[in-house]
Amino acid sequence: MMRACGLLTARKEPVPLKSIEVELEVRDHVATVVSTLNYENKEDKPLEAVFIFPLPGDAAVCHFSAEIGQTQIVAKVKEKQKAREEYDDALSSGQQAFLLEESDQSPDIFSLSVGSLPPGESASIRLEYVTELAVQADDGLRFCLPAVLNPRYQPQGAGVQVTSVPASLVPYSLSFSARVSSPRPISKVESNCSLDPLQYLNTDQTQATVKLAAGHKFDRDVELLIYYKDAHQPTAVVEAGQASAEPGCLMGDSVVMVSLYPEFPQSVMSSLASCGEFVFLMDRSRSMSNTRNSSARDTLLLLLKSLPMGCYFNIYSFGSRYEHIFPKSVEYSQQTMEEALKTVEQMEANLGGTEILQPLKHIYSQPCIPSQPRQLFVFTDGEVGNTKEVIDLVKKNSDSHRCFSFGIGEGASSALINGMAKEGGGHAQFITGTDRMQAKAMQSLRFALQPVVVDISVTWDLPKEVSVTVLSPPITALFQGQRSLIYAQLTGQSSEAAEGCVTLKYSLAGHPSENQLHFSLRPAEDTGLTVHKLGAQTLIRSLEEGEDRGWQDTKVKEKVVQLSVQSGISSSLTAFIAVFNNNGEAIQGPLLHKNISKHACNYKPRNKSDSKTGVFTQMKKILSDFWKSCKTVADGALKSVSEGNARSAVPEQQTRDPLLQLVSLQEATGKWLLDPALPTALGKTNEEVEKSKPVLANKDIWATILALIWLHGLKMDSKNEWDLLAMKAASWLRAQNAPWVTECVEAANLLLGCSVTKEALGL
């Protein structure tokens, strides 16, 4: 079994991680996270260690410091290569040093190089970052504290493998507390972990605190879902600039964060598209467990049954190689649907690694079908090392499709999942814990079938003495119930009573719409510069993600470095560096935050003579050696698990969910046949179903109404999973213009013990 990682001794034993303390401060839609890690080196030699750990993909690291004994070292942001050289020079001259930097391959992976932690010494590492909170389908705001870094699959020649170990093997304590405040009342806070009761701090319930219940083992992500009343109300927060900052610069001016929730007419949203090319790309790498893979097959069943007649589709799957069911997308029909489902039923997580780039290239190389907008659905556990390359490819092809992405399980890369959806003008979903993949996939399919919002524009109306510089990139996609955050720098002075106005305009199904928000220009108090930091992060990411990342343009590169240093926010071109001279002894600083148990890391006793080889050369060798030492054991364990699963497998039909059993019987047109398997799915006998049918009623009409009554009467808790295919069935029924529909509805209600009306069925 892989050994636990942390800060490792010369005997490859962990330097005890005594505790992790995490404090979360949520202000409306954004969060500030402060993590403190406490370590102790019980080895008799100083150590150098490298830590690899995840953060949310859109997080802006804004503070890093280390405390050794009575000495505190606060890191500063510097250009990355200079920081690396300063780190090596410091260690070669016997100084304590810490280096924290973003991975070149993925913006949600950071590495921390710790100089020498002296024997018997303790180290306390403090990391602070700010991040936006994503809106979920039920209007909850999602915060995730990553505890897991799964192995990131590295395409051939991409460099070092990052390994993982079971978090449960590392004993330590975790303290996690959250404080939530909002202009709107807080209705509830939920979690995938046990929480102490929510404590309100005022009578209007706009401020509250919550803590993890005692005894939590940090063996999975900690996910919080925060719910406000009137969640769709647009808001604006104006934050005053930093008094010590240079006038006219981003940190010196006020910055506004506007949250917009456009409301779409229900009449338009109910008219779903009946065309499109739907391409489903499913992860079948080894890391997709039997449970995930089974859920993926069920999800594809629901998606295929819910597609509109007349559209086109194809299914790709990938691991170290990729496969596709059809050479090119085919028209959706009963025959093509059945052919696809036969292949889906045989899908296993047996394709090796996670080479997502090649199937994406193949999909994009296929010519688009006229009048059939391409909609790409990507399902993956997100364990890839070339995140930026994948996102760049999606962005390059953004004009020809929309991309809907799904992160499956603990450790899915938020940078990959959010980045693909953002650049592809789609929507991102995360499926963790007991979440059902089917429900979230169907919600995204509904988004894909909605009319496309076009001609999106944002305009500002401000007092004459105030000018605006928008920091956010243009809004490229809008969906029902989706929030857009816009950051803008406000230059100039205005009276305390002054107001600003921002107007969002767009066109939906040929109808122009307009949303306005009026807001006070008076800055909010005590915001900790969170809005400034997120605004700076937004602008930095926009510059980094420009054409060819803009690195041919040295001015763009200089601007990123300048913004990063000025705002104290990490970027792909900068790093946090801390150096302290302690009479020749070095210390170790940044073991970061909550991913402790599943960092990939290692140690190396440091000799002055070898320091000039560079910490990153050492890091590659360290991690490579560690990976090789674990690989044989890991491969053996995987083989053993695989064989065990094969032996214990049971026929799927024996335990199949009745809902999925019923869905599997639906025809591509939307109707059900009076098949012998139908009564079984409904929990009835063939005799009962035949006897209850109105004598003159058509068998297909009767079977379809039976299925719809069962869904509406007994499965409303799963409505978001079957809603689209039920709409398709109702549409088929209306097209038949058949008699005896009322009698069939009454008879079906009587048979199934329900009381569903024709109107509820859409008839």
Side-chain angles (χ1 to χ4, degrees):
M1 174 170 272
M2 297 183 188
R3 295 297 304 273
C5 286
L7 198 54
L8 298 187
T9 69
R11 293 189 296 272
K12 296 190 177 180
E13 295 173 349
V15 175
L17 169 60
K18 296 187 292 185
S19 64
I20 306 174
E21 300 158 23
V22 179
E23 296 176 4
L24 169 67
E25 173 107 17
V26 176
R27 284 192 174 95
D28 207 13
H29 292 279
V30 300
T32 301
V33 186
V34 179
S35 299
T36 305
L37 285 77
N38 300 304
Y39 280 91
E40 184 180 358
N41 177 16
K42 293 185 177 179
E43 176 65 10
D44 57 3
K45 296 178 181 177
L47 303 176
E48 180 184 11
V50 175
F51 302 87
I52 311 293
F53 54 89
L55 288 180
D58 55 358
V61 179
C62 54
H63 175 87
F64 168 64
S65 61
E67 192 172 298
I68 317 303
Q70 301 300 311
T71 303
Q72 185 181 43
I73 311 171
V74 178
K76 293 184 178 180
V77 177
K78 295 189 178 182
E79 191 275 327
K80 184 177 282 188
Q81 190 54 41
K82 289 180 181 177
R84 290 174 176 177
E85 291 170 0
E86 189 173 332
Y87 174 83
D88 265 7
D89 289 345
L91 265 63
S92 66
S93 59
Q95 294 174 305
Q96 299 167 345
F98 309 80
L99 182 71
L100 173 67
E101 62 180 319
E102 179 184 308
S103 161
D104 290 335
Q105 282 75 44
S106 179
D108 67 338
I109 300 298
F110 280 73
S111 67
L112 172 63
S113 302
V114 179
S116 299
L117 181 61
E121 192 69 88
S122 296
S124 178
I125 311 306
R126 179 184 170 96
L127 173 79
E128 181 178 330
Y129 66 86
V130 291
T131 186
E132 296 177 358
L133 300 181
V135 180
Q136 303 303 287
D138 60 357
D139 297 335
L141 294 176
R142 179 181 185 264
F143 168 76
C144 183
L145 182 70
V148 176
L149 176 59
N150 285 331
R152 291 294 171 98
Y153 181 79
Q154 304 288 347
Q156 213 168 15
V160 182
Q161 291 279 358
V162 177
T163 61
S164 72
V165 294
S168 56
L169 295 183
V170 185
Y172 55 82
S173 65
L174 168 66
S175 165
F176 178 89
S177 62
R179 181 186 175 103
V180 183
S181 59
S182 170
R184 300 176 293 279
I186 303 155
S187 56
K188 61 180 177 178
V189 175
E190 296 178 345
S191 177
N192 61 334
C193 306
S194 296
L195 298 175
D196 287 343
L198 187 68
Q199 301 289 325
Y200 289 105
L201 303 180
N202 55 6
T203 54
D204 60 5
Q205 299 187 340
T206 58
Q207 296 182 34
T209 60
V210 69
K211 294 181 179 179
L212 272 184
H216 173 74
K217 294 293 183 185
F218 205 7
D219 56 353
R220 60 190 183 278
D221 294 357
V222 176
E223 183 182 62
L224 284 189
L225 293 170
I226 301 162
Y227 296 86
Y228 300 134
K229 293 178 182 175
D230 303 320
H232 288 272
Q233 180 183 337
T235 60
V237 176
V238 179
E239 185 177 76
Q242 199 171 15
S244 59
E246 201 176 306
C249 72
L250 173 60
M251 300 306 289
D253 282 341
S254 292
V255 173
V256 61
M257 177 181 71
V258 175
S259 167
L260 295 175
Y261 276 103
E263 288 295 328
F264 299 159
Q266 187 56 41
S267 58
V268 176
M269 302 320 294
S270 60
S271 59
L272 301 179
S274 59
C275 63
E277 179 195 7
F278 298 88
V279 182
F280 305 105
L281 178 58
M282 189 64 68
D283 192 337
R284 287 174 56 196
S285 60
R286 278 192 302 264
S287 53
M288 289 282 291
S289 65
N290 279 356
T291 303
R292 291 182 189 175
N293 190 64
S294 175
S295 181
R297 289 197 302 264
D298 292 343
T299 300
L300 284 172
L301 167 67
L302 282 167
L303 287 167
L304 287 174
K305 293 290 184 175
S306 301
L307 292 179
M309 292 295 288
C311 76
Y312 286 72
F313 79 102
N314 203 351
I315 299 174
Y316 284 70
S317 57
F318 68 95
S320 298
R321 66 182 193 279
Y322 67 89
E323 300 174 355
H324 41 76
I325 294 181
F326 304 107
K328 62 180 182 178
S329 292
V330 295
E331 187 170 356
Y332 179 71
S333 66
Q334 183 66 23
Q335 179 183 341
T336 56
M337 183 190 75
E338 287 181 352
E339 187 177 342
L341 285 173
K342 283 179 184 176
T343 305
V344 168
E345 287 171 8
Q346 306 302 317
M347 283 184 174
E348 299 292 343
N350 57 1
L351 292 186
T354 315
E355 288 275 8
I356 192 172
L357 197 64
Q358 295 309 313
L360 279 175
K361 287 181 177 178
H362 189 272
I363 290 167
Y364 293 140
S365 72
Q366 302 296 305
C368 291
I369 302 169
S371 302
Q372 302 284 351
R374 179 173 288 169
Q375 315 275 7
L376 174 63
F377 289 69
V378 181
F379 298 83
T380 178
D381 53 17
E383 299 168 2
V384 298
N386 56 340
T387 300
K388 288 182 179 177
E389 197 175 355
V390 173
I391 293 172
D392 279 350
L393 182 63
V394 174
K395 181 178 182 179
K396 184 179 178 183
N397 293 275
S398 60
D399 290 343
S400 65
H401 81 303
R402 284 197 292 182
C403 180
F404 298 85
S405 54
F406 303 83
I408 303 169
E410 309 291 346
S413 166
S414 60
L416 178 72
I417 304 306
N418 287 328
M420 292 181 74
K422 177 185 173 185
E423 297 301 346
H427 185 64
Q429 302 263 27
F430 288 89
I431 301 149
T432 60
T434 58
D435 289 349
R436 283 178 65 81
M437 189 187 303
Q438 295 90 320
K440 296 197 172 185
M442 298 310 295
Q443 185 205 24
S444 288
L445 178 59
R446 180 177 281 278
F447 282 155
L449 289 168
Q450 287 174 3
V452 178
V453 177
V454 296
D455 300 330
I456 303 169
S457 67
V458 178
T459 55
W460 299 79
D461 183 11
L462 299 168
K464 286 188 295 184
E465 60 271 19
V466 179
S467 61
V468 63
T469 304
V470 179
L471 307 174
S472 304
I475 300 173
T476 56
L478 287 175
F479 297 103
Q480 177 71 31
Q482 201 174 25
R483 174 209 63 194
S484 295
L485 286 182
I486 304 171
Y487 298 92
Q489 179 180 347
L490 304 177
T491 305
Q493 297 295 321
S494 62
S495 66
E496 292 223 342
E499 270 199 348
C501 176
V502 60
T503 303
L504 172 68
K505 293 182 180 180
Y506 56 89
S507 180
L508 179 65
H511 301 288
S513 294
E514 182 176 299
N515 286 257
Q516 271 194 350
L517 172 65
H518 292 266
F519 60 94
S520 169
L521 290 177
R522 183 177 181 178
E525 296 177 3
D526 187 30
T527 53
L529 292 173
T530 304
V531 174
H532 278 74
K533 292 168 185 174
L534 286 168
Q537 168 82 340
T538 299
L539 183 53
I540 287 170
R541 290 289 187 224
S542 296
L543 291 168
E544 288 175 332
E545 293 164 3
E547 189 67 28
D548 295 325
R549 300 209 173 271
W551 297 155
Q552 278 77 11
D553 187 344
T554 54
K555 289 185 178 179
V556 174
K557 196 171 181 179
E558 288 170 2
K559 187 169 184 180
V560 169
V561 173
Q562 182 186 33
L563 269 170
S564 180
V565 171
Q566 187 185 91
S567 61
I569 296 294
S570 59
S571 75
S572 61
L573 297 178
T574 54
F576 278 92
I577 175 70
V579 177
F580 181 76
N581 189 341
N582 190 26
N583 299 323
E585 288 204 69
I587 190 151
Q588 193 89 325
L591 180 51
L592 252 233
H593 162 135
K594 38 325 125 149
N595 4 298
I596 308 319
S597 48
K598 302 223 175 170
H599 303 331
C601 66
N602 215 320
Y603 83 102
K604 182 175 172 62
R606 182 83 183 196
N607 297 319
K608 294 181 184 180
S609 60
D610 70 9
S611 65
K612 294 183 186 289
T613 60
V615 66
F616 289 91
T617 301
Q618 293 176 31
M619 182 175 80
K620 288 183 179 181
K621 184 177 187 306
I622 286 166
L623 291 175
S624 181
D625 290 346
F626 183 73
W627 170 251
K628 289 174 184 175
S629 69
C630 296
K631 190 175 186 300
T632 303
V633 178
D635 287 347
L638 283 168
K639 183 178 178 184
S640 174
V641 170
S642 177
E643 290 171 352
N645 286 334
R647 286 193 297 272
S648 62
V650 296
E652 189 176 339
Q653 283 302 120
Q654 290 180 11
T655 57
R656 191 161 200 187
D657 181 343
L659 171 61
L660 296 173
Q661 195 174 343
L662 180 71
V663 169
S664 68
L665 299 173
Q666 189 185 29
E667 300 270 291
T669 56
K671 71 178 180 179
W672 273 267
L673 304 178
L674 198 56
D675 185 279
L678 180 65
T680 304
L682 300 176
K684 299 295 177 182
T685 65
N686 286 332
E687 185 181 1
E688 287 173 316
V689 169
E690 289 284 357
K691 186 177 178 181
S692 299
K693 183 180 84 68
V695 177
L696 298 178
N698 175 279
K699 287 185 176 182
D700 294 349
I701 300 287
W702 168 239
T704 303
I705 287 176
L706 261 180
L708 286 177
I709 295 290
W710 187 84
L711 290 172
H712 282 270
L714 301 173
K715 289 292 176 181
M716 283 302 287
D717 57 336
S718 305
K719 187 175 188 292
N720 51 4
E721 297 183 25
W722 53 258
D723 192 31
L724 289 175
L725 60 88
M727 288 172 61
K728 187 161 72 164
S731 178
W732 177 83
L733 281 169
R734 289 193 301 270
Q736 305 313 302
N737 198 23
W740 300 97
V741 168
T742 301
E743 290 79 0
C744 285
V745 170
E746 291 174 355
N749 274 314
L750 189 62
L751 174 63
L752 298 173
C754 301
S755 55
V756 181
T757 65
K758 280 175 57 178
E759 291 71 25
L761 299 179
L763 302 177

